[in-house]
Amino acid sequence: MTAYVGTVTSGSGNYANQNLLLLIKDSLVTEGWTVLRYDVGVEPRELIVQGVGYSGTEEIYLGFRSYQSVGSDYYNLSVSTFIGYVSGNAYAAQPGYVENSLCAHNTTIDYWINISPQRVALALKVGTPVYETAYVGKFYPYASPSQFPYPVCCIATLTGQPTTRFSDTSHTMGFRGSRTNCLMRDTAGASIQPATWPYNSVIMTNTTESSIAGQQRDTGGYYYLNPIQLMKLNSDIYGELEGVYHISGFNNIVENTISVGGRDFVVIQDVSRTGFNDYIALEV
């Protein structure tokens, strides 16, 4: 995995979200992904890439689009998964098309992007500020390749490609699970809305249960990273995300950097929320 951390601004006739799309493309090429389509002559601008996974023999198809409206003052980015690529097909007509989005900005975006051979995870700081997150590509399945041949998910802060500005107070990170901005391809090839642990755990994260403390905190300044697991309640646990973890917000703040086992992580909050259960840790 390789992390790209920095700031992208408007320039060269592009809005910041459009320059972010270019930065993602260049970073993916550097990390060995193949660009199948990069079309800046259409709106939304389109990027479709193919990766080979950790085995070097897989076919993983991801998409990204920048879209905006000057009149409505939103400048966003979308993320997609596909099961294949047909050069003559429109973006939304690609095989297995799934798409969600996150708010971005027209002038300045701070970014944390982590790229592996099988997925892209990212966080953006925009506007007032708020923090937007996404995860697109494969996760680690709790099954063999023959049992679960294409375990991909498309997680962001917005459902589909809506006309939502970063100042909207209702949108939230898909990592909480059981929502339309958290989509996963299951073993049958269907797109489902998985629940996610520990966000669905009464013991770990629910403060409404009077008999349970309902929150995790650090121990002597050491914070535990909990894997975010995708599951179907009372049925199956499909697997866990790569390089993105639940972390307690107890005595913790956004953009803290922590080190665990020689690996560094940045703490990111859920848009504008700052409760103890409103954070993830993204590997950088």
Side-chain angles (χ1 to χ4, degrees):
M1 291 184 287
T2 304
Y4 294 82
V5 180
T7 302
V8 63
T9 61
S10 59
S12 301
N14 297 327
Y15 300 117
N17 67 320
Q18 295 171 330
N19 281 333
L20 178 64
L21 183 69
L22 173 60
L23 184 147
I24 290 172
K25 177 187 75 72
D26 291 345
S27 301
L28 283 164
V29 170
T30 299
E31 298 306 313
W33 289 71
T34 299
V35 174
L36 302 176
R37 176 184 299 176
Y38 181 57
D39 192 347
V40 300
V42 296
E43 289 295 341
R45 298 185 178 184
E46 301 176 353
L47 170 65
I48 300 177
V49 297
Q50 179 183 345
V52 296
Y54 283 109
S55 69
T57 61
E58 298 165 67
E59 296 181 7
I60 304 167
Y61 299 94
L62 308 182
F64 303 84
R65 295 204 277 188
S66 61
Y67 71 99
Q68 62 280 323
S69 168
V70 176
S72 298
D73 193 31
Y74 66 83
Y75 303 83
N76 296 346
L77 180 78
S78 74
V79 297
S80 302
T81 57
F82 313 104
I83 63 171
Y85 175 69
V86 179
S87 61
N89 284 16
Y91 186 97
Q94 293 298 324
Y97 156 78
V98 174
E99 185 172 30
N100 282 318
S101 304
L102 59 163
C103 296
H105 206 264
N106 62 322
T107 61
T108 303
I109 303 168
D110 293 335
Y111 61 84
W112 297 262
I113 303 173
N114 186 298
I115 300 174
S116 81
Q118 66 177 6
R119 65 95 180 98
V120 176
L122 69 151
L124 308 179
K125 176 183 178 182
V126 299
T128 49
V130 297
Y131 294 81
E132 306 284 327
T133 51
Y135 183 111
V136 60
K138 290 188 69 175
F139 56 90
Y140 290 128
Y142 296 163
S144 68
S146 61
Q147 294 171 315
F148 201 167
Y150 197 55
V152 295
C153 59
C154 182
I155 302 172
T157 53
L158 304 171
T159 299
Q161 197 187 88
T163 59
T164 303
R165 189 177 186 267
F166 68 83
S167 56
D168 171 79
T169 58
S170 64
H171 71 290
T172 184
M173 64 182 182
F175 296 118
R176 294 184 179 278
S178 298
R179 56 198 63 207
T180 53
N181 59 351
C182 179
L183 298 176
M184 185 199 87
R185 182 178 172 83
D186 70 4
T187 53
S191 182
I192 67 169
Q193 300 172 30
T196 59
W197 185 92
Y199 293 101
N200 66 342
S201 169
V202 172
I203 295 175
M204 292 285 288
T205 61
N206 192 339
T207 59
T208 63
E209 174 58 58
S210 60
S211 63
I212 299 174
Q215 60 178 289
Q216 187 182 61
R217 61 157 298 167
D218 65 297
T219 301
Y222 180 90
Y223 284 90
Y224 296 92
L225 300 183
N226 301 301
I228 299 177
Q229 297 177 315
L230 308 179
M231 65 181 63
K232 185 180 295 183
L233 293 179
N234 303 314
S235 178
D236 303 305
I237 302 177
Y238 293 103
E240 66 183 70
L241 301 183
E242 177 192 21
V244 182
Y245 297 83
H246 166 274
I247 189 171
S248 173
F250 196 99
N251 285 339
N252 207 352
I253 60 172
V254 69
E255 295 189 46
N256 270 354
T257 299
I258 62 172
S259 182
V260 178
R263 299 160 62 191
D264 292 328
F265 300 83
V266 61
V267 177
I268 299 294
Q269 70 189 39
D270 179 5
V271 189
S272 59
R273 299 168 182 83
T274 56
F276 76 90
N277 191 38
D278 293 328
Y279 295 88
I280 62 164
L282 171 64
E283 188 164 4
V284 293

